[in-house]
Amino acid sequence: MRKSFVLTVLTGALLLSACSRPVPVPQDGTELWLAAGRPYAEVLASVQAKVDPALPAEGFHIYDDGAQRVVAAGSEAGLRYGVYALQRAEVLGQAGPGIDISEKPYYDLRLLNHWDNLDDTVERGYAGKSMWEWTSASIPEARIRHYGELCASVGLNGAVLNNVNSNPLVLDAEHIARVAKIADILREYGIRTYLSIKWTSPIALSGLKSGDPLDPKVRQWWKDKAAEIYAAIPDFGGFLVKANSEGQAGPQDYGRTHADGANMLGEAVAPFGGIVMWRAFVYSPTSPDRANQAVEEFLPLDGKFADNVIVQIKNGPVDFQPREPFSPLFGQLRDTKMMMEFQITQEYLGFSHHLAYHGTTWEECLDSDTYRDGPGSTVAKMVTAIAGVANTGQDPNFCGYFFAQSNWYAFGRLAWNPELAAEQIADEWIRQTFLKPAGVSDKTYEAKFIAPVRDMMMASREAVVNYEMPLGLHHLFGGTHYGPAPWDRLGRPDWTPAYYHKADSLGIGFDRTPTGSDNVHQYHEPLTSTYANLATCPENLLLWFHHLPWDYKLSSGRTLWDEICLHYDTGIRQVEAFRRTWDGLEPYVSPALFAEAKRKLEIQQHDAEWWRDACVGYFQTFSKRPLPSDVRPLRLPIDSLEFHQLKSDELGMPVFDDDLRAVILPPRRMMRRPQ
Ligand code: GCV
């Protein structure tokens, strides 16, 4: 063969293989789910946009009038939602001729709650410091605009800017002026601004002697403060309040009720159309079951809240655990407006290190039937508004991990329409977030990239449940809420894992049946019986409701002990599978995103093993049983975990060594097991 021919053949072969191989498009995750669509302005310019007051205020109608595509909406905000809906439809391939999409939001209030502090730290934030940059001289306008676009694109219309553990200074003149500037930007995206207040603000800011909600001076102070805020921010949304909870003061300190407190604030903002979101996250250290407390405190107040007060309730009765049943309060209040509080930031699900898609978590909760008004009384129908604790920070990708962005997206989509399926939302998110590589057919991309990523996301939350706290176990966390500490039993009881798992030589689990705390009676029938009865209690909530012997037989025929071990091991195997899947996706995704998830998944596997070693190792000291033969042995002896602690940085993030292992610090005093 002549040399030139050989070269030609080789070059041709190389070119051919290059053409048939996908060429990933560079991207770094900073465009979030707006990456794949046409720019908003371009979509807007391509349609006839019109406001039609006959349509629902935030609703829209996208249709074709001959050759002209029209987006009609009840308001400017609705128009924005419609244009973003069209952008999404284009990416999803649903915007062909004859398009006809009419939508309006299910809930009027769709809010993010930012737990951002005035010193720029973020409580339970894992994406850097506060995105509002409270301590800087200027307002981070570009970031706020980007945030506004992202929120508007999924239909979110409110933001509480600061932490519920509020600093009274947020209500001083300087901060009100700053908040007004932020509100001016957010308003352009249809987002109303709200603030969390500290109950004792009148004392801290003006030297009043009391915070008693029935004291005329206190009432006047709040009225004046509301007037001051509304003078600066005419469309200010209102207040979010954490009172008499976790050391925060509240009306009970003055012998008054939550309703007295909420109504006083409600009265202050009512003339301006404002609202008060009063959190039901309350629990006293002396109660026999923290899960009972919200109902115990709030049921007697049903019907006593003012019209502009909404009680904001966390999805579960304890605290954003990887799995909880829905809070029974959703089924108990009848004459009080209720609002959902989900947690988007992954306080208990591996921070921004673990892949844990929450679409499935929230779908499970929203679809749960409370039976309050008979069958079909889903949680979604019981609430009239919805909030999510944000996972945003100054990180260029906002969330610290591009997979964590999917939870912000999913929250927005479910807030718009709680009937959407988690799987559909994951699918939409993938198609909008990742840029399809060149050289790949739609069919191949679908089969080789979209489907595997979607499957990973859909399985991810259950994987976390498996390796952190399966079968209804909950709150097995150490101090930072990142890693396991099932042995921890010092300090306030209901802040320790031992209070929740109650492991002893006989068994494990929290008895919430009538022989225990009787939490089951806070649910309506048939749930009371379903949960109380071992034959019908869902196995994924078994140890939430029951204390059971180690040799209790589950539906698999295995003992409880063996199933616990198996679930932890399964969780690790699931993460191993995610890693294999992700490694196979390298040809389809940008090098930056590929590397990011590769590293995070490695951390996730290490952490999953750490959880297994800690929990199985610790519970084994009670069960005194061997690991089942099909479960892999533990790697770390329990003593090396139990008497050490995790090193974390100033944001509470764990510190990893070069091998991506969490750095474990030398022994500390507190975690001794009682003899
Ligand atoms: C903002 C949990 C979290 C706290 C949080 C609290 C709340 O206890 O760990 O960081 O405080 O919930 O929701 O008020």
Side-chain angles (χ1 to χ4, degrees):
M1 200 182 287
R2 290 207 342 244
K3 200 176 164 197
S4 62
F5 179 70
V6 173
L7 269 181
T8 311
V9 169
L10 276 178
T11 315
L14 279 175
L15 273 177
L16 199 69
S17 70
C19 285
S20 60
R21 216 179 275 151
V23 184
V25 186
Q27 63 173 136
D28 58 8
T30 53
E31 291 182 284
L32 292 88
W33 55 86
L34 298 179
R38 289 198 291 154
Y40 176 84
E42 192 181 313
V43 181
L44 178 63
S46 69
V47 300
Q48 185 198 343
K50 59 179 187 193
V51 171
D52 174 0
L55 291 171
E58 291 185 298
F60 58 81
H61 184 195
I62 308 170
Y63 61 96
D64 284 342
D65 183 2
Q68 178 64 60
R69 180 144 294 177
V70 181
V71 179
S75 65
E76 288 297 327
L79 210 48
R80 196 176 302 105
Y81 299 142
V83 173
Y84 276 119
L86 176 57
Q87 180 200 55
R88 179 165 50 243
E90 288 176 357
V91 176
L92 301 180
Q94 297 165 356
I99 188 171
D100 190 357
I101 304 176
S102 278
E103 289 189 21
K104 61 176 182 173
Y106 190 91
Y107 301 117
D108 288 344
L109 298 174
R110 308 175 297 280
L111 271 64
L112 288 182
N113 288 182
H114 294 268
W115 286 357
D116 293 23
N117 298 312
L118 300 189
D119 65 359
D120 282 338
T121 56
V122 181
E123 183 154 352
R124 313 303 176 187
Y126 314 110
K129 296 198 168 180
S130 170
M131 55 167 283
W132 312 115
E133 294 187 29
W134 298 100
T135 59
S136 131
S138 57
I139 303 281
E141 184 174 339
R143 185 187 303 117
I144 298 174
R145 290 195 175 282
H146 193 181
Y147 167 91
E149 289 168 359
L150 290 159
C151 286
S153 73
V154 288
L156 294 170
N157 67 357
V160 183
L161 301 192
N162 63 318
N163 193 354
V164 288
N165 291 327
S166 177
N167 183 330
L169 294 179
V170 77
L171 295 185
D172 71 14
E174 183 190 330
H175 284 95
I176 290 174
R178 192 178 177 91
V179 169
K181 286 190 192 150
I182 297 175
D184 286 345
I185 305 173
L186 292 179
R187 186 176 302 114
E188 292 182 35
Y189 302 91
I191 300 166
R192 271 190 180 207
T193 298
Y194 301 74
L195 289 175
S196 298
I197 59 106
K198 195 168 188 78
W199 185 258
T200 49
S201 298
I203 301 170
L205 293 179
S206 303
L208 264 63
K209 295 280 173 290
S210 159
D212 182 350
L214 300 192
D215 179 334
K217 286 202 204 93
V218 175
R219 299 177 81 84
Q220 191 58 47
W221 189 91
W222 283 107
K223 283 182 183 162
D224 293 346
K225 187 52 75 178
E228 184 187 343
I229 296 171
Y230 278 93
I233 312 167
D235 60 348
F236 179 68
F239 297 135
L240 172 62
V241 192
K242 173 176 180 177
N244 293 119
S245 164
E246 296 190 330
Q248 296 292 329
Q252 291 177 341
D253 299 339
Y254 303 91
R256 313 298 183 194
T257 67
H258 288 292
D260 293 330
N263 294 346
M264 175 200 63
L265 292 173
E267 190 182 80
V269 293
F272 311 98
I275 61 161
V276 173
M277 295 163 288
W278 192 269
R279 296 176 88 226
F281 180 63
V282 295
Y283 58 104
S284 102
T286 50
S287 164
D289 186 359
R290 173 171 165 183
N292 282 349
Q293 300 218 344
V295 170
E296 286 167 358
E297 284 203 35
F298 279 82
L299 186 54
L301 301 175
D302 193 18
K304 300 205 166 115
F305 290 94
D307 278 353
N308 63 341
V309 172
I310 310 182
V311 173
Q312 181 166 312
I313 306 166
K314 288 190 183 183
N315 58 290
V318 171
D319 191 9
F320 299 137
Q321 297 303 289
R323 169 165 282 117
E324 297 189 38
F326 69 86
S327 168
L329 194 53
F330 291 120
Q332 291 294 340
L333 299 182
R334 289 172 188 277
D335 299 312
T336 301
K337 286 189 192 130
M338 290 185 279
M339 176 164 187
M340 171 62 72
E341 181 177 314
F342 285 134
Q343 192 180 44
I344 307 170
T345 190
Q346 292 170 225
E347 173 180 356
Y348 294 106
L349 290 97
F351 295 3
S352 55
H353 281 313
H354 293 199
L355 164 56
Y357 170 59
H358 263 315
T360 50
T361 319
W362 302 330
E363 177 180 57
E364 182 176 299
C365 176
L366 291 165
D367 289 354
S368 295
D369 200 338
T370 67
Y371 294 94
R372 189 192 73 179
D373 308 322
S377 308
T378 60
V379 171
K381 289 184 193 158
M382 297 299 101
V383 298
T384 56
I386 186 162
V389 180
N391 61 351
T392 51
Q394 281 181 28
D395 277 7
N397 70 8
F398 274 103
C399 302
Y401 187 8
F402 68 82
F403 269 123
Q405 298 165 354
S406 67
N407 288 329
W408 180 3
Y409 180 84
F411 172 73
R413 295 290 285 140
L414 286 169
W416 180 269
N417 179 2
E419 284 167 9
L420 286 177
E423 188 162 13
Q424 179 194 322
I425 296 172
D427 186 87
E428 290 176 359
W429 176 79
I430 297 165
R431 290 172 200 272
Q432 292 173 93
T433 298
F434 297 99
L435 300 175
K436 182 169 162 293
V440 164
S441 70
D442 285 352
K443 206 169 149 207
T444 304
Y445 188 58
E446 171 77 40
K448 297 275 170 106
F449 183 75
I450 292 177
V453 176
R454 195 176 53 222
D455 290 350
M456 271 170 61
M457 289 173 68
M458 289 302 289
S460 61
R461 179 265 189 143
E462 204 61 42
V464 180
V465 170
N466 281 331
Y467 65 69
E468 282 192 355
M469 38 201 92
L471 296 165
L473 288 169
H474 48 292
H475 224 300
L476 305 182
F477 297 92
T480 63
H481 295 176
Y482 185 77
W487 43 79
D488 200 349
R489 54 178 80 234
L490 288 182
R492 182 176 156 160
D494 55 356
W495 284 351
T496 67
Y499 171 97
Y500 295 99
H501 62 66
K502 302 203 186 304
D504 56 26
S505 61
L506 301 177
I508 184 169
F510 199 124
D511 183 1
R512 294 192 163 107
T513 70
T515 58
S517 75
D518 203 19
N519 171 259
V520 291
H521 269 104
Q522 292 192 344
Y523 293 91
H524 296 285
E525 286 293 7
L527 292 178
T528 307
S529 310
T530 303
Y531 291 148
N533 186 338
L534 272 174
T536 50
C537 183
E539 284 191 348
N540 61 17
L541 290 174
L542 204 55
L543 302 177
W544 182 281
F545 287 111
H546 298 270
H547 186 84
L548 294 172
W550 297 108
D551 61 0
Y552 174 78
K553 284 268 170 36
L554 274 81
S555 59
S556 63
R558 288 172 174 264
T559 64
L560 175 60
W561 168 248
D562 284 2
E563 277 291 346
I564 289 175
C565 298
L566 186 67
H567 273 77
Y568 277 100
D569 200 50
T570 301
I572 299 168
R573 286 182 199 279
Q574 286 174 290
V575 180
E576 287 169 343
F578 297 160
R579 288 183 66 189
R580 280 194 301 277
T581 301
W582 189 253
D583 283 346
L585 299 179
E586 186 167 10
Y588 303 96
V589 69
S590 83
L593 296 188
F594 178 75
E596 183 179 333
K598 186 171 173 65
R599 178 170 184 277
K600 299 264 189 188
L601 286 166
E602 209 173 323
I603 292 171
Q604 190 168 359
Q605 186 184 325
H606 286 309
D607 291 345
E609 289 171 2
W610 173 30
W611 270 94
R612 184 265 322 263
D613 290 352
C615 296
V616 172
Y618 177 71
F619 294 140
Q620 195 174 30
T621 64
F622 297 100
S623 78
K624 308 264 189 253
R625 286 161 188 259
L627 265 56
S629 56
D630 50 351
V631 159
R632 294 168 297 180
L634 309 185
R635 290 185 333 164
L636 294 171
I638 182 64
D639 273 7
S640 76
L641 290 168
E642 186 174 351
F643 300 111
H644 293 67
Q645 59 174 322
L646 183 75
K647 184 172 178 182
S648 44
D649 67 14
E650 82 276 9
L651 296 173
M653 297 294 282
V655 173
F656 295 92
D657 65 18
D658 292 343
D659 295 326
L660 294 178
R661 288 181 187 276
V663 178
I664 308 276
L665 294 173
R668 62 173 174 170
R669 207 173 28 85
M670 65 175 277
M671 291 176 176
R672 294 240 157 248
R673 197 182 322 148
Q675 298 306 308

